[in-house]
Amino acid sequence: MKISFCFLILATLLLSCRHDDDGKMRAELDRIDSIATSGRNRTADSLLKKIDPAALASDDLRERYRLIDTHVRLARNKPLDDTAQIDQSIGYFTKNNDMASLSRMYYYKSCIYEKDAKRYLSYMKKAEAAEKSADLPWLRAQVYTNIARENYRSGAYRTGIEYGRKMLRIPTLDKHVAWKCSACNTLAIGYLYSGMKDSAAYYLKKVEPFISQITLKEDRMNFYTNTGIIYINLGLNEKACDMFEKALKEIPSALTRANLAEIYCILGRKAEARKLLKEAWQDADYSIKSEILRIYGVIAEDEKHFKEASDYYRKSQTYNDSAVASRKTEEVIAVQKDSDSEEEARNRDTKENLTLGIVAAVVLAMIVIAVVAPRRRIN
């Protein structure tokens, strides 16, 4: 009897220690999640690497880890090891009525399907519905932004603008400069597409004073670029030039140099444009090199050097073809990965009917429209 009593005490102590360990791990995962959702994904990634997911003792901890890992992987443009796991997590969070985590997983799954407009919007809408019961303003801002811009792509400008207005109605918007800028930028794009240029200019004016207050350098560059693009479409080239110069100061890259060279060319500042194009060429990919050559062609044609311009245009097309071929290769690899994942999923004994997505490199906030080429950039 005495031995049994001692064993009972020992078992109770062991369970208590395990509970304490689980509590500590949950607190650590919550801390990492807070870091990730604030945009500090590099830091969150390094902290996650210190945790062995196989050693996590409970389903709750494992699913929590997967949620954060999915966020960080997508935010840092890393491929997902197994997209079927997102479906598993969706099933788990649905069963446990964890609407906050469920809304996030739907959002992450939509990002995987960004090249499939129908499924992309379908999962984004599911994220929107689940978030209503979770109250995650940061996620709501991202969902509204992406639904708005997906509607712009399909020509549903009125619906896109309505989602931009919904962003402005988020209660905590004034506390988050990046959200405010994204809302105004989204509305400016919508009004531009709708031909309402005065309204587009109005929201650009609201954006400008706040861009410099945004924490992340990449986001500041993106907003300056977006704003510059819209100004070009409004015919306000000097204002566009100012935005592109600020974008270049934030992140000197092939993209920002080529963008600024484009506007310098429009403004007749050809010597400065040539200098920037030469600098941009060194780090440019095929698509940007194609645009650099096109700009050289425009300069040559403007100077009546028609044969030289023709050569530049021909070379530009060659690089553009190479860029398209490169993208197709990446898509073929992605489809093969998806097929392998589907075969693996079919062999699993699972109650859920899992739908697997293409492994796509994405980053988690706003669609960036660039002069050189459309580029999606999310915080």
Side-chain angles (χ1 to χ4, degrees):
M1 182 70 177
K2 186 175 181 180
I3 293 174
S4 297
F5 181 69
C6 290
F7 179 78
L8 181 62
I9 293 174
L10 180 60
T12 303
L13 287 171
L14 289 172
L15 286 171
S16 176
C17 290
R18 178 175 174 179
H19 179 75
D20 288 345
D21 288 343
D22 282 1
K24 289 178 181 177
M25 180 54 69
R26 175 65 191 229
E28 175 62 8
L29 288 173
D30 285 347
R31 185 177 76 90
I32 297 172
D33 192 33
S34 178
I35 291 170
T37 54
S38 69
R40 293 149 56 202
N41 292 291
R42 188 184 298 274
T43 301
D45 196 13
S46 64
L47 291 171
L48 279 178
K49 288 176 181 176
K50 297 177 182 179
I51 299 173
D52 179 9
L56 297 176
S58 68
D59 288 342
D60 182 65
L61 290 177
R62 285 190 288 272
E63 291 297 341
R64 186 68 174 168
Y65 177 93
R66 184 181 295 160
L67 177 74
I68 305 166
D69 183 59
T70 303
H71 176 109
V72 171
R73 282 180 178 275
L74 290 172
R76 300 206 64 205
N77 202 22
K78 291 184 175 183
L80 296 173
D81 294 332
D82 184 1
T83 54
Q85 290 185 355
I86 292 183
D87 296 274
Q88 181 179 324
S89 295
I90 287 173
Y92 178 85
F93 294 134
T94 300
K95 181 180 178 181
N96 289 275
N97 200 33
D98 183 349
M99 302 307 286
S101 299
L102 179 62
S103 60
R104 290 175 62 179
M105 273 303 188
Y106 275 135
Y107 177 79
Y108 302 150
K109 185 159 186 178
S110 72
C111 291
I112 293 171
Y113 286 111
E114 80 166 329
K115 294 182 180 179
D116 184 335
K118 186 175 180 179
R119 283 196 279 189
Y120 175 83
L121 196 54
S122 172
Y123 285 112
M124 198 68 74
K125 293 290 288 182
K126 288 181 179 182
E128 179 189 12
E131 192 279 327
K132 288 178 181 178
S133 302
D135 192 25
L136 296 175
W138 67 267
L139 181 64
R140 194 181 317 157
Q142 295 193 23
V143 168
Y144 286 171
T145 298
N146 285 289
I147 290 178
R149 300 192 182 196
E150 188 59 37
N151 275 281
Y152 292 159
R153 283 199 193 102
S154 64
Y157 304 136
R158 184 176 298 178
T159 303
I161 289 170
E162 180 53 38
Y163 272 94
R165 288 174 179 156
K166 283 184 178 183
M167 281 192 71
L168 288 180
R169 295 196 291 268
I170 294 175
T172 55
L173 189 72
D174 288 339
K175 298 179 182 178
H176 300 276
V177 177
W179 300 0
K180 184 183 295 186
C181 289
S182 184
C184 292
N185 201 269
T186 298
L187 283 166
I189 293 171
Y191 283 122
L192 174 67
Y193 288 166
S194 301
M196 302 170 68
K197 294 186 176 182
D198 288 344
S199 295
Y202 169 78
Y203 282 103
L204 286 187
K205 286 182 180 179
K206 295 189 74 170
V207 167
E208 279 193 59
F210 295 105
I211 298 178
S212 61
Q213 300 175 30
I214 294 174
T215 304
L216 297 175
K217 181 181 292 189
E218 290 85 355
D219 283 350
R220 292 197 298 272
M221 184 273 288
N222 288 334
F223 277 116
Y224 283 133
T225 299
N226 275 358
T227 306
I229 289 296
I230 301 170
Y231 274 136
I232 285 180
N233 283 275
L234 292 174
L236 302 172
N237 295 328
E238 292 289 351
K239 282 186 170 289
C241 183
D242 180 49
M243 293 296 104
F244 288 141
E245 286 175 344
K246 288 177 178 177
L248 179 61
K249 287 179 182 177
E250 293 293 345
I251 300 181
S253 67
L255 176 61
T256 52
R257 287 188 175 96
N259 281 344
L260 185 55
E262 175 88 11
I263 195 64
Y264 278 169
C265 182
I266 292 171
L267 294 172
R269 298 164 63 175
K270 295 173 186 175
E272 293 168 279
R274 284 193 179 95
K275 182 175 182 295
L276 283 168
L277 292 173
K278 184 177 180 181
E279 293 171 353
W281 183 268
Q282 300 173 20
D283 301 317
D285 60 19
Y286 285 129
S287 62
I288 296 179
K289 283 182 176 178
S290 173
E291 291 302 318
I292 290 172
L293 289 165
R294 182 189 60 77
I295 298 169
Y296 273 130
V298 170
I299 294 173
E301 188 173 3
D302 192 49
E303 294 175 342
K304 311 298 184 187
H305 300 148
F306 298 116
K307 184 179 182 305
E308 185 180 345
S310 179
D311 288 341
Y312 278 127
Y313 291 143
R314 178 178 51 79
K315 291 177 182 177
S316 172
Q317 185 59 51
T318 299
Y319 273 94
N320 182 65
D321 293 343
S322 297
V324 171
S326 178
R327 283 194 294 272
K328 285 183 178 178
T329 300
E330 291 172 0
E331 288 171 6
V332 168
I333 292 171
V335 169
Q336 290 180 81
K337 287 182 179 179
D338 185 42
S339 178
D340 292 342
S341 295
E342 287 179 346
E343 183 63 32
E344 183 180 342
R346 280 193 290 270
N347 294 330
R348 287 198 185 97
D349 181 18
T350 176
K351 294 180 181 179
E352 290 83 16
N353 179 20
L354 304 182
T355 303
L356 302 183
I358 294 174
V359 179
V362 298
V363 198
L364 290 174
M366 73 202 87
I367 310 289
V368 171
I369 304 173
V371 168
V372 169
R375 274 174 175 71
R376 190 168 183 277
R377 184 76 182 177
I378 294 184
N379 173 20

